[in-house]
Structures are given as C-alpha cells and as structure tokens.
Amino acid sequence: MGRYLLKRLVLILPTLFGIMTINFIIVQFAPGGPVEQIIAQLTTGTMSTTAGISGGGDSGVQNSSVDAGASGQNLGSYGLDPELIADLERQFGFDKPPHERFVRMLGNYIRLDFGTSFYQDRPVIELIVERMPVSISLGLWSILLIYGISIPLGIAKAVRDGSRFDIWTSSLIFVGYAIPGFLFAILLIVLFAGGNYLDLFPLRGLVSSNWESMGWWDQITDYFWHMALPITALTAGGFATLTMLTKNSFLEEISKQFVLTARAKGLSESRVLYGHVFRNAMLIVIAGFPAAFIGLFFTGSLLIEVIFSLDGMGLLSYEAVIKRDYPILFGTMFCFTLIGLVMHLVGDMTYVLVDPRIDFESRET
C-alpha cells in the first residue's frame, strides 16, 4: 500500500501540470479578456459622448484601458493611441508570448505566488486564504451531515424495504430531490431569517461583527448560528441521491448468496448486515465521495454563497471568470485541481479502510 500511495503522490504533479496547461491554452482562445473588456467600456463611453473623442494627452491616458484582443478594430477612429495600448498590454502582462507567460506562471506557482488580482489589487493567495474558511465550512459540515444522514437512512430503508417507513421516507426524499438547493435556501430565508415569518437566524456573513470580542463558547455558538441555514440548504439538496444509492446498494448485496449462507449459519441480523453486507455495499458509496466533496466544496455552494452573502471560493472563482481576472482564475483553478486530486487519493485510502481485502498494488501488477 505504501508503494501505491507514493506513486499516486508522485503522479499528482504531472497531472496538475497537464490540467493547468490545457486550461491555460483554452483561456488563450477565449474572447473578452481583461483588456478587451476595458476596450469595450472605453469605446462605448467614447461613442456616447462628444468630448474626448480626439482628446489626446492626459485624458487619453486616463481612458486608455484597452486590450490586445481588439485586433481588427479601427482603434484610431476612437482616438486610441497605439502606444497607450502597448503600455496596457505590458501592465496586464500580455506583451510577452503565451509560452513565456505560462513558464513564468508555473515558476511562481512553485513558490505559491499566484500573482496579484487585476481588479482588486491584492495578492491572489491572500484572497484565497481569506475566502477558504467559508468554503471549508460549507463543504465540510454539509458533507458530514449528508453522509451522516444518508447512510443510516439508506440502510434502514433497505432493511424495511416496502414498509410504510420506506414509502414515507421515499416521498420526502423525492420532494427534497425535486427542490433545488438554492430554492430551498430562499424558502429558509422567508421562513426563518426575517422574511415574512420568523427572524431567528442571520441573513449574511460567516460570523457576527463582534465575533473576536466574544468568549470561545459564544464564538462557536455564533458560528453555527450563522451556518445553520446555508448548511441546511446544501444538505437538503444533496442527501436524496446518496440515500437512494445506499439503499439500492444494500438491497443488491442482501440478495446475494453469501448473505443467505451467513443467515443459515445462525448469525444475528446485525452481524450479517454490518459484518458482511456493509463493506461491499459501501464501496459504491465511497466511490462517489471525492466528486461529492468537490461539488459541495465549490460548485454546489456558489448559489448558496450568493444568497447568504458568503464570500467563499465558489463566488471568488465565478467572479474571476466573469471579469476575466486571470490571476484569480488560475489561482483558484490550481487549488480546486490540487484538492480534487488529493480527495481522489483519500477515496482510495477509504476503500482500504472499509474493506481491507482491497489491494491496489496487486491490481497494478
């Protein structure tokens, strides 16, 4: 197992390099870069006013936020000085060919230097560290609740298949599956966060403004008070699929011959269920853990972050894509990819913990 673990750790580096390379190439062909967006703003504003169209000198310098992607346009007709365009290309780092920019980016990433945001004028690593606690809070507690509810509920449904309990819980699960997480979040706000009914929970932020002056117990209480509604919204939208997957997996294993043999030997139902069925049935559930974690950690929490005004990694990366803030875009992409690769490795390790009979090294040979 140690050799397999070491090999997977070594493979993380070339995999990370390949993913970053592909995404860098894709971004080079994507229209609407940061300088292009400024050209659009400049030309629109210039066309809508009569003053400053031919104004050179200082006014031309102040309004010359343009990008190299505007080739093919008659920039002279808008009074844009090519020298100013070249200055802006140097400012955004587009004065060098793509391969040089990519090599320089990789060299900086080795030192965990993700550059400075184009629009926020702050180091990207500082923004990531600032936003990471929000995403960790949403992803960690949601995944713990989802798995903590779905696995016992799925097992109970499999054991009581066809009973009233199974039918009623299935109805609730299908309702939860049909309602998107963001819509459930809005419903929670209306009911419990000062909407039309109760005002029990705060509407925004991870903690209160006076959190640092509180005692440690009050800090914990305040933290979970703020996280209650966002975590509930994420959990309600994520446990339905996993519950049914757990149930179906257990039903499939229960019907197999080795279970009948174990029961024929006089083993108790709990021993049969948790000593024999559990390990095999949980493998398919564990297989989806990395994808579920990454989905909740970043993608799934984006709308929740917007609704509850939580500045997390999902919102940060989304805004970077919209604004073409490349340092933040590639910095968050690097973090997402690295965490995803590590989580896949954790998933393999969990396989072995659930079923020690699995040997990845022997499978490779």
Side-chain angles (χ1 to χ4, degrees):
M1 191 62 189
R3 187 178 65 180
Y4 172 79
L5 179 61
L6 180 61
K7 183 182 295 185
R8 287 292 301 271
L9 289 174
V10 172
L11 286 176
I12 285 178
L13 294 179
T15 305
L16 187 61
F17 172 79
I19 293 174
M20 294 299 296
T21 303
I22 293 173
N23 284 280
F24 184 86
I25 294 174
I26 293 174
V27 168
Q28 301 310 304
F29 293 98
V35 193
E36 284 180 337
Q37 292 189 9
I38 299 176
I39 284 183
Q41 295 175 5
L42 173 63
T43 55
T44 302
T46 306
M47 294 173 64
S48 62
T49 59
T50 57
I53 293 181
S54 59
D58 294 339
S59 64
V61 173
Q62 293 174 359
N63 293 327
S64 61
S65 298
V66 285
D67 178 40
S71 59
Q73 294 186 7
N74 185 6
L75 299 180
S77 63
Y78 297 115
L80 302 181
D81 189 347
E83 294 184 1
L84 298 177
I85 298 175
D87 290 339
L88 289 166
E89 291 177 9
R90 286 191 293 271
Q91 178 183 348
F92 284 97
F94 296 119
D95 58 323
K96 296 179 174 60
H99 67 276
E100 290 187 16
R101 288 187 275 122
F102 180 68
V103 171
R104 183 176 60 182
M105 183 186 74
L106 292 181
N108 292 334
Y109 278 23
I110 294 176
R111 304 190 302 270
L112 294 181
D113 179 10
F114 299 137
T116 303
S117 170
F118 287 160
Y119 301 101
Q120 301 189 44
D121 196 27
R122 295 177 59 191
V124 174
I125 187 66
E126 181 179 312
L127 292 171
I128 291 176
V129 172
E130 182 181 288
R131 303 290 186 95
M132 187 68 75
V134 176
S135 295
I136 291 177
S137 298
L138 290 174
L140 179 62
W141 295 116
S142 297
I143 203 73
L144 289 177
L145 278 177
I146 288 173
Y147 273 77
I149 294 173
S150 299
I151 293 176
L153 181 59
I155 296 174
K157 287 175 63 62
V159 174
R160 299 172 177 84
D161 184 39
S163 64
R164 289 185 177 181
F165 173 81
D166 182 39
I167 295 174
W168 281 107
T169 53
S170 294
S171 301
L172 294 175
I173 288 172
F174 290 141
V175 170
Y177 182 77
I179 300 177
F182 73 91
L183 188 60
F184 191 72
I186 296 175
L187 178 63
L188 291 175
I189 290 175
V190 172
L191 294 177
F192 303 111
N196 296 330
Y197 297 93
L198 303 176
D199 188 7
L200 301 178
F201 297 95
L203 186 58
R204 63 179 63 245
L206 187 63
V207 293
S208 299
S209 57
N210 61 335
W211 186 79
E212 294 183 356
S213 62
M214 298 178 181
W216 67 269
W217 177 252
D218 291 332
Q219 287 181 337
I220 295 175
T221 304
D222 181 77
Y223 167 76
F224 283 106
W225 181 47
H226 280 77
M227 296 302 299
L229 295 187
I231 292 175
T232 302
L234 278 175
T235 303
F239 84 99
T241 303
L242 185 60
T243 300
M244 298 308 298
L245 178 64
T246 303
K247 175 193 173 182
N248 294 333
S249 180
F250 269 79
L251 285 176
E252 181 181 355
E253 294 296 325
I254 289 174
S255 62
K256 290 184 177 179
Q257 184 63 41
F258 75 91
V259 176
L260 299 177
T261 303
R263 287 172 175 169
K265 290 181 178 180
L267 296 179
S268 63
E269 191 65 21
S270 60
R271 178 70 181 278
V272 171
L273 190 62
Y274 294 101
H276 294 76
V277 176
F278 183 82
R279 291 188 301 180
N280 295 332
M282 285 302 297
L283 292 179
I284 191 172
V285 177
I286 293 173
F289 175 77
F293 181 83
I294 296 299
L296 283 174
F297 198 37
F298 301 111
T299 311
S301 62
L302 172 59
L303 291 176
I304 301 299
E305 291 176 8
V306 174
I307 292 172
F308 290 99
S309 300
L310 298 171
D311 292 330
M313 290 283 290
L315 184 58
L316 178 66
S317 60
Y318 173 76
E319 292 175 345
V321 172
I322 297 300
K323 297 179 180 179
R324 300 297 195 272
D325 196 339
Y326 291 153
I328 294 181
L329 177 62
F330 285 112
T332 54
M333 189 183 302
F334 179 86
C335 295
F336 294 166
T337 304
L338 181 59
I339 293 175
L341 293 173
V342 173
M343 289 310 303
H344 278 288
L345 182 59
V346 171
D348 289 345
M349 299 301 102
T350 310
Y351 269 131
V352 179
L353 293 177
V354 173
D355 192 348
R357 297 172 297 176
I358 295 178
D359 188 354
F360 290 104
E361 291 183 6
S362 61
R363 289 189 177 189
E364 290 181 352
T365 57

